[in-house]
Amino acid sequence: MRRTLTLILSSGLFLLCATPGNAQILHKKKKKVNKSTSADNTAEPDKVLYNRAIEDIRRGRQEVGRLGLQTLINTYPDSEYLAKAKLGIADSYYKESGTANMAQAIQGYKDFIVFFPFLPEAGYAQLQVANAHYQQMAKPDRDRTEAKAAEEEYQTFLSKYPKDPLAPKAEQRLRDVQEIIAEGDYRIGYFYYVKGDRRAAAARLLAIAKRYPLYSRSDHVLWMLGDIFEKSEHREVASLYYGQIVKNYPLSDLAPGAKNKLVAFKVPVPQPDPKAVAWMTAEQNAPRKRDSLMKRPLALVRSGPHSEMIASAKNGPPNLEPEADNTSATDVLSGGNKSQLGGSGSASANTAVVETVTPGKAAVPGTAGAAEESAPSPTEGNATPPANTGVEANGNPAASSTPDAAPASGETKANADGSSADAQASAQNSDAKNQKESSSKKKKGLRKVIPW
C-alpha cells in the first residue's frame, strides 16, 4: 500500500515539473486587441448610435434615448436609420405618456407619415396617432374631443391599410370609441325624452340610429324614436323604427312589443334577418371582462371610460364613414322637413319697396320699376310746344301760358324743398330724442348698479 502511494506522488510531481510554471494553466493572459481594426467591429457609427438610443428608451431612459436619436439625425442626415430615428422619438414620447408628451407623439407620428408615406412603418404611425387619442378619452358625459379624434384616426387607418396585421385590433378599438360617443348622445337624448321635449330627443337619437348600429342600446334608441313619432301622430314613420327592431334586433327584449305595435298599426311585420340573429348570438356568447367586488368601488374614481368598453360590440364591422349628419332639432318633426329660421310668416313683412315720388303727384303703391316708369324724363320738361298752339285765328299771337306755369313750378319746388326740410328737421328731432332716452336709460342703469 505504501509503495502504491509513493508511486502516485512521484508521478504527480514529475508531471508538474514537465508543465509550464507560474500557474499559467489556471490564469491565461488575454491578448490585447485593437477594437478599431478588429473583424467584429463591422457596425457603422449611425447604427451604433441608433442601437444605444433604442436600448435607452427600452430601459425607460426616454430623454437620453431622444438625445441620442436627435444626434443621429443631425450628424447623419443621409443615414438609412433616419426614418427609424424619427419614429423612435415619437415612440419615446408615447411611452412617457402625459398630455404634453402625447401631443408631441401625435405630431411626430404625423410628420413621419408626411415624410415617409410609402414605408411599411407608415401604417404603424397612423395607428399610434389613433391610440394616442384613445388613451386620452374621457367618460361619455365629459368632453368628447379626444373620442371624436380617435374615431376619425381609426377610420383613416382602416380605410388606408385594411389588410394590415393590426387591422383587427384597430376595428375593436373603433367599436369601443363609437360605443362611448353613442352612449354620450343616448344619455342626452334620454334626458330630453323623459323631460318630454320630443324634438330635442329625436335630434340626438336619430344620429345614433343612423351612425352606430352596433351600439349596445340601439334597440332602446329605435323604441324611443318610434314612441316619439307615434305621439307626434306620424305612425307611418313610427312603424319603420318598430320594424327595424323586429328585423335587425330579433333577440332583443323589445322585439315582442314592437311586433304588437305593428299589428296595432295594421302594418306588415317584417321577418328577422338571419345575419342579425347570428350577430346577436355571437354578442351574447362573446367573452367579456368582469370587475371583481374589490374593484367595483373604483368606478367612482376612474377618469376614463370603463363600463362602456365592456358593453361595446365584439363582432361586426364598425362604421367607417366620416360624420356628415346635419340633423338639427329644428328640422325634426316639422312638416316636409322644412327648417324655419326666425318667426313664421315674417318673410312678407320684411320686404322693402323703394318708390320714386314726383312733386305734385300722388304716390302709387307698387314696385320700384313701376314708380320709375311714372317719373318724367328730363327731356319732357324742356320740350318746346308746337308752333300752331301759340297763334290765334286772326294771326295775332296768343297769350302765352308759360308765365303762369313758371310760378306754379316754382311753387311746387318750394313746396318740395319745404317738405324735405321738414323731414330733415323731424329726423333730427327724433335722433335727439333717441339720444336723450338712451342717455337717461344709461343713467338709470348706473343708478341701479351704483346707488350713490
Side-chain angles (χ1 to χ4, degrees), residues 443-451:
K443 290 179 181 179
K444 290 181 181 178
L446 291 173
R447 287 175 185 174
K448 290 181 180 179
V449 177
I450 305 174

Side-chain angles (χ1 to χ4, degrees), residues 256-379:
K259 290 181 181 179
N260 296 333
K261 289 283 186 179
L262 294 175
V263 172
F265 293 163
K266 297 181 180 180
V267 177
V269 179
Q271 295 296 325
D273 190 359
K275 294 182 180 179
V277 175
W279 173 72
M280 294 195 73
T281 305
E283 285 297 317
Q284 292 177 357
N285 298 330
R288 301 178 187 274
K289 295 180 180 180
R290 301 294 179 185
D291 289 339
S292 61
L293 294 176
M294 298 297 293
K295 292 184 178 180
R296 286 181 182 177
L298 296 177
L300 301 174
V301 187
R302 292 192 186 99
S303 59
H306 179 70
S307 60
E308 294 77 19
M309 304 293 188
I310 299 174
S312 62
K314 308 303 178 184
N315 303 279
N319 185 13
L320 300 181
E321 296 296 330
E323 185 176 5
D325 188 11
N326 297 325
T327 302
S328 61
T330 57
D331 296 336
V332 178
L333 303 177
S334 59
N337 195 20
K338 295 179 180 179
S339 60
Q340 296 178 355
L341 301 178
S344 60
S346 62
S348 60
N350 292 333
T351 57
V353 179
V354 180
E355 297 182 358
T356 304
V357 181
T358 58
K361 293 185 178 181
V364 180
T367 60
E372 290 177 358
E373 291 177 358
S374 63
S377 62
T379 57

Side-chain angles (χ1 to χ4, degrees), residues 136-144 146-147 180 303-305:
Q136 301 179 81
M137 287 191 306
K139 292 182 179 180
D141 55 349
R142 306 294 174 84
D143 184 20
R144 295 184 295 173
E146 296 295 337
I180 294 169
S303 59

Side-chain angles (χ1 to χ4, degrees), residues 128-435:
Q128 286 295 97
V129 173
N131 290 337
H133 291 294
Y134 181 86
Q135 297 295 335
Q136 301 179 81
M137 287 191 306
K139 292 182 179 180
D141 55 349
R142 306 294 174 84
D143 184 20
R144 295 184 295 173
T145 303
E146 296 295 337
K148 291 285 187 181
E151 180 188 23
E152 182 180 356
E153 298 298 339
Y154 280 125
Q155 288 173 346
T156 304
F157 172 79
L158 292 173
S159 60
K160 284 186 176 180
Y161 313 99
K163 298 182 180 180
D164 194 275
L166 299 174
K169 181 180 179 180
E171 285 185 355
Q172 181 55 47
R173 291 206 165 184
L174 180 56
R175 285 191 285 263
D176 296 341
V177 172
Q178 291 180 350
E179 177 77 16
I180 294 169
I181 297 174
E183 178 66 22
D185 288 337
Y186 175 80
R187 292 182 184 182
I188 299 172
Y190 183 75
F191 168 78
Y192 286 118
Y193 176 76
V194 174
K195 187 180 178 182
D197 193 345
R198 301 173 188 171
R199 180 169 296 180
R204 293 287 183 171
L205 299 174
L206 280 173
I208 303 175
K210 290 180 181 179
R211 286 190 50 80
Y212 307 116
L214 300 182
Y215 175 50
S216 58
R217 299 183 184 180
S218 293
D219 51 347
H220 294 269
V221 171
L222 294 174
W223 179 269
M224 286 191 289
L225 284 172
D227 184 61
I228 288 171
F229 283 100
E230 180 183 358
K231 292 180 179 179
S232 302
E233 299 181 358
H234 294 285
R235 290 194 172 186
E236 67 281 356
V237 182
S239 61
L240 296 177
Y241 291 107
Y242 290 134
Q244 289 185 24
I245 297 176
V246 177
K247 181 179 179 181
N248 298 328
Y249 305 95
L251 302 182
S252 173
D253 298 335
L254 301 175
K259 290 181 181 179
N260 296 333
K261 289 283 186 179
L262 294 175
V263 172
F265 293 163
K266 297 181 180 180
V267 177
V269 179
Q271 295 296 325
D273 190 359
K275 294 182 180 179
V277 175
W279 173 72
M280 294 195 73
T281 305
E283 285 297 317
Q284 292 177 357
N285 298 330
R288 301 178 187 274
K289 295 180 180 180
R290 301 294 179 185
D291 289 339
S292 61
L293 294 176
M294 298 297 293
K295 292 184 178 180
R296 286 181 182 177
L298 296 177
L300 301 174
V301 187
R302 292 192 186 99
S303 59
H306 179 70
S307 60
E308 294 77 19
M309 304 293 188
I310 299 174
S312 62
K314 308 303 178 184
N315 303 279
N319 185 13
L320 300 181
E321 296 296 330
E323 185 176 5
D325 188 11
N326 297 325
T327 302
S328 61
T330 57
D331 296 336
V332 178
L333 303 177
S334 59
N337 195 20
K338 295 179 180 179
S339 60
Q340 296 178 355
L341 301 178
S344 60
S346 62
S348 60
N350 292 333
T351 57
V353 179
V354 180
E355 297 182 358
T356 304
V357 181
T358 58
K361 293 185 178 181
V364 180
T367 60
E372 290 177 358
E373 291 177 358
S374 63
S377 62
T379 57
E380 292 178 357
N382 298 329
T384 57
N388 55 0
T389 59
V391 181
E392 291 182 353
N394 56 5
N396 297 327
S400 176
S401 62
T402 55
D404 298 335
S409 63
E411 290 177 2
T412 55
K413 290 181 180 179
N415 292 333
D417 295 336
S419 61
S420 63
D422 294 339
Q424 291 178 358
S426 61
Q428 291 177 358
N429 293 332
S430 62
D431 294 338
K433 290 181 181 179
N434 293 333
Q435 290 179 358

